[in-house]
Amino acid sequence: MDDDTHIDADHVDILQTFIESHGFLSWLDLTVEELERGRIVMSVPYDEKLVNPGSPVGSIHGGIAATLVDTASGFALRSTFDDPTTGSLATTDLNVTYLRPATNDLRVEAEVLRTGGSMGYTDTLVSSVAPDGEEKDVAVGRTSYRLFHDSE
């Protein structure tokens, strides 16, 4: 890395290639929008396949927001590794608070709060464009992970 926050474009390409080869993440059509050390922004386009059954407003299932919180948090933490393509991590706690229905494309931003030798913590924000055209927060999340920097 050139400085404290820069992530090489190759890492973004590697991450996007991983997503596209991953059955569930590719099914969601997940895209990396921004990536820097300790922070990531990702998006998922609105799709009928993600909607709650019988929802009169076409709201996206809350499990999709929870998936975004978990996935973006893991990638944000991975970006703090000396080599983000090595090592692994495991979710130890995932908390999601839903604020309002999501009825449009989803955007998630995850930021690392703290990372150490064996544990990492993140805050996340999931947003969507509301029917009034304004982007609004639809969920917030906080996670903790067990970190394995060298695939221990």
Side-chain angles (χ1 to χ4, degrees), residues 21 28 34 51 55 60 71 79 81-82 86 89 103 109 127 129:
S21 69
L28 289 175
E34 300 173 35
V51 172
S55 171
I60 296 175
T71 302
S79 75
F81 288 12
D82 289 337
T86 63
L89 42 82
T103 57
E109 180 175 348
S127 59
V129 176

Side-chain angles (χ1 to χ4, degrees), residues 27-29 44-51 58-60 104-105:
W27 181 78
L28 289 175
D29 202 13
V44 168
Y46 182 88
D47 191 309
E48 289 289 325
K49 69 186 179 189
L50 307 177
V51 172
S59 62
I60 296 175
N104 207 317
D105 298 349

Side-chain angles (χ1 to χ4, degrees), residues 16-69:
Q16 193 63 52
T17 299
F18 170 80
I19 289 167
E20 290 167 7
S21 69
H22 187 280
F24 183 57
L25 299 179
S26 65
W27 181 78
L28 289 175
D29 202 13
L30 184 64
T31 302
V32 178
E33 302 290 337
E34 300 173 35
L35 178 63
E36 59 190 56
R37 185 173 177 84
R39 181 180 169 275
I40 193 167
V41 177
M42 306 176 91
S43 64
V44 168
Y46 182 88
D47 191 309
E48 289 289 325
K49 69 186 179 189
L50 307 177
V51 172
N52 280 307
S55 171
V57 296
S59 62
I60 296 175
H61 190 282
I64 302 303
T67 295
L68 291 178
V69 167

